Amino acid sequence: MRAQPKASHFIDGEYVEDAAGTVIESIYPATGEVIARLYAATPAIVEKAIAAAKRAQPEWAAMSPTARGRILKRAAEIMRERNRELSELETLDTGKPIQETIVADPTSGADSFEFFGGIAPAALNGDYIPLGGDFAYTKRVPLGVCVGIGAWNYPQQIACWKGAPALVAGNSMVFKPSEDTPLGALKIAEILIEAGLPKGLYNVVQGDRSTGPLLVNHPDVAKVSLTGSVPTGRKVYEAAAAGLRHVTMELGGKSPLIVFDDADLESAIGGAMLGNFYSTGQVCSNGTRVFVQKKIKQSFLARLKERTDAIVIGDPMDEATQLGPMVSTAQRDKVFSYIEKGKSEGARLVTGGGIPNNVSAEGTYIQPTVFADVTDEMTIAREEIFGPVMCVLDFDDEAEVVARANATEFGLSAGVFTADLTRAHRVVDRLEAGTLWINTYNLCPVEIPFGGSKQSGFGRENSAEALKHYTELKTVYVGMGPVEAPY
Ligand code: NAD
């Protein structure tokens, strides 16, 4: 099998196997080929990983942030040196085209190691609080053993986005990738060891929705960071609450992207396409409700169709391919069922909606799909589809579109395209979302905080803000004089 790792899990600096676990088959979505066979973690494996993380953490926390950061920066260098190899693995794991993975996956993971490695010495400082003669100071201390649980759309990026801030702040991590994409995180764990990370600090265990609770409920776990759907978020949050564990929730969305009639049309269409078709539409922050002001509706749709029909679909390993398959048959079938719902509820299919004809029949491909005349009540305008399906809705004025954009339980992201500077800022101010863009869409460099509001979650990844979610404050009051007691 062409991507078979040495073993399923990576614990305490080495590959570990336990064939008593349920079999997880890793499938290359472009062809249906089984590329690796792994085992879900048994309770014994989970115990082993958490014990290693617990043992290794105090010594790591006692090192200086500069020394910890140096190791992460070395890991970033190794990731960049191996970008091609890691990107090919990411393409096999997810089906995403190599054209994307080579610029967006291991590289964004490396950015995360480099950024957190660099800022740690300054960003982990505490405060000095003068109190007259007495004073106090605060220390930012690590939480301990952190659990990371990943989704399948950006497996290597998620493994790094959680690992980098956790580690640099002095924590250890046990990471569970999605059962659909188990391979990339193992390589990240290997690279961290090669970069000099002491054993036991970054462990990877495989498993599915029955393995997750073993990690989340473990008494030695201090924090859980989940990237996944809203229903999973509710379960994980509830389980973490029972143990009063810290949580970060990066969940789903149904984000609005608003195009006013003064917008640069080509840019707005480009933004809408990136925000619906990149990674075959499997991006949490996608702007899947594209609100277009009525005056430009016809020209927007005509040019959108033209550009969408020109998208190159095919073999993800071919550098020319722009759109690959969905991650799995289950996800493909789910997206097709939404396409059928869109048609039956009266949305107008502008383009796509079927299986492309130039691809392997075993691949889980879907044509990039655009629906127009979508209304707010339709299922496709309310539920997260997580596939290459764009819904275009019309609007008349600003107040109306802001109200409709906010009429959702989700609040992950939002975008506005307009040439009117004051309107752009006024509208983003009113939109209920955690991450917003003006005249661009979906850009998430490591320097900026990323995360959601409402049902899309809480806590932030990336930027110095993420470190707050992997540390807690310790306050020390220092008495400088005699204690005056009234008794
Ligand atoms: P999912 O919720 O099905 O699974 C996510 C992870 O949680 C998997 O590793 C799964 O094994 C695990 N899991 C499932 N049930 C669990 C439980 N009870 N306890 C512990 N772990 C459990 O999500 P998915 O289908 O893998 O990914 C798609 C979803 O993720 C979409 O909703 C998408 O919007 C969201 N997502 C969000 C972000 C973000 O940053 N906000 C990023 C990517 C994906």
Side-chain angles (χ1 to χ4, degrees):
M1 271 174 286
R2 63 168 144 161
Q4 184 66 38
K6 284 188 204 135
S8 303
H9 319 287
F10 194 94
I11 299 173
D12 215 3
E14 58 189 29
Y15 277 96
V16 178
E17 196 58 281
D18 182 350
T22 320
V23 172
I24 295 177
E25 281 192 337
S26 174
I27 291 166
Y28 180 38
T31 59
E33 174 194 345
V34 176
I35 53 169
R37 197 162 279 125
L38 300 95
Y39 298 95
T42 55
I45 285 288
V46 168
E47 281 303 325
K48 195 177 165 74
I50 291 177
K54 189 178 176 188
R55 192 213 66 242
Q57 190 263 333
E59 206 174 318
W60 173 245
M63 284 167 63
S64 74
T66 306
R68 292 197 297 262
R70 194 177 301 130
I71 292 170
L72 265 61
K73 286 195 277 184
R74 177 68 193 122
E77 279 170 25
I78 301 174
M79 284 188 76
R80 288 193 211 290
E81 284 158 16
R82 303 207 187 132
N83 186 35
R84 161 66 59 176
E85 183 194 321
L86 290 168
S87 301
E88 284 175 2
L89 182 67
E90 192 76 336
T91 289
L92 287 172
D93 221 1
T94 60
K96 296 196 292 180
I98 191 81
Q99 189 190 90
E100 281 188 22
T101 53
I102 207 118
V103 296
D105 291 89
T107 49
S108 69
D111 284 353
S112 175
F113 284 140
E114 186 177 356
F115 175 83
F116 284 105
I119 65 159
L124 291 166
N125 289 348
D127 285 325
Y128 169 84
I129 304 159
L131 298 166
D134 293 352
F135 66 94
Y137 61 93
T138 59
K139 291 161 69 102
R140 213 156 251 295
V141 296
L143 302 172
V145 178
C146 300
V147 161
I149 300 179
W152 39 254
N153 58 342
Y154 280 84
Q156 291 184 28
Q157 180 187 84
I158 294 170
C160 297
W161 278 19
K162 298 193 188 304
L167 289 172
V168 92
N171 302 285
S172 55
M173 176 156 274
V174 178
F175 184 80
K176 188 198 84 61
S178 163
E179 56 274 35
D180 285 322
T181 53
L183 304 175
L186 292 167
K187 285 286 166 199
I188 308 294
E190 255 185 62
I191 286 171
L192 281 164
I193 289 289
E194 202 178 323
L197 187 75
K199 292 174 180 179
L201 291 165
Y202 190 86
N203 309 280
V204 176
V205 298
Q206 305 297 343
D208 56 19
R209 56 197 57 237
S210 59
T211 319
L214 299 177
L215 296 164
V216 178
N217 293 323
H218 198 287
D220 289 336
V221 168
K223 182 197 165 101
V224 181
S225 176
L226 168 78
T227 296
S229 62
V230 173
T232 302
R234 289 201 182 97
K235 286 185 206 141
V236 172
Y237 191 23
E238 195 181 336
L244 288 177
R245 285 179 247 293
H246 296 247
V247 286
T248 292
M249 292 279 154
E250 292 292 354
L251 308 177
K254 190 75 196 176
S255 301
L257 195 167
I258 303 172
V259 184
F260 286 96
D261 57 18
D262 61 351
D264 178 277
L265 199 64
E266 282 300 303
S267 289
I269 291 169
M273 290 176 75
L274 282 168
N276 278 275
F277 302 144
Y278 204 70
S279 294
T280 323
Q282 304 162 117
V283 181
C284 53
S285 50
N286 271 353
T288 46
R289 289 183 295 147
V290 180
F291 289 93
V292 179
Q293 204 159 15
K294 276 191 184 143
K295 199 171 131 195
I296 55 164
K297 176 182 170 181
Q298 293 315 330
S299 45
F300 184 93
L301 285 173
R303 184 68 181 127
L304 171 64
K305 176 173 163 39
E306 198 175 39
R307 287 177 65 176
T308 301
D309 291 346
I311 290 176
V312 180
I313 308 169
D315 174 4
M317 286 297 178
D318 181 344
E319 304 256 344
T321 295
Q322 296 171 323
L323 194 95
M326 307 294 307
V327 74
S328 64
T329 312
Q331 188 62 18
R332 192 258 322 260
D333 294 348
K334 186 178 150 196
V335 175
F336 271 132
S337 76
Y338 276 112
I339 291 174
E340 287 314 310
K341 264 201 185 108
K343 289 188 207 161
S344 67
E345 291 181 12
R348 175 162 62 90
L349 188 65
V350 174
T351 188
I355 298 175
N357 52 21
N358 64 328
V359 291
S360 153
E362 277 70 45
T364 47
Y365 288 87
I366 291 190
Q367 287 174 322
T369 300
V370 176
F371 278 109
D373 303 338
V374 177
T375 59
D376 299 345
E377 305 71 39
M378 290 180 186
T379 311
I380 55 170
R382 288 186 289 106
E383 296 182 11
E384 185 182 45
I385 300 175
F386 225 57
V389 181
M390 188 194 303
C391 295
V392 178
L393 304 91
D394 320 331
F395 75 95
D396 288 304
D397 66 52
E398 184 182 317
E400 169 214 333
V401 77
V402 169
R404 289 171 59 199
N406 285 338
T408 167
E409 59 169 357
F410 299 108
L412 187 55
S413 309
V416 182
F417 277 86
T418 177
D420 181 338
L421 193 66
T422 52
R423 172 160 65 190
H425 290 288
R426 195 169 57 232
V427 169
V428 292
D429 198 45
R430 289 176 189 163
L431 289 172
E432 297 162 359
T435 312
L436 301 101
W437 291 276
I438 295 174
N439 290 337
T440 187
Y441 203 80
N442 257 358
L443 298 177
C444 290
V446 67
E447 294 88 347
I448 69 170
F450 178 76
S453 68
K454 293 161 81 177
Q455 300 287 300
S456 295
F458 38 80
R460 290 292 177 267
E461 297 201 295
N462 291 341
S463 79
E465 203 60 34
L467 292 176
K468 294 188 187 153
H469 301 288
Y470 284 100
T471 53
E472 61 190 355
L473 278 186
K474 196 175 232 181
T475 306
V476 182
Y477 186 111
V478 182
M480 296 296 285
V483 173
E484 287 172 19
Y487 35 74

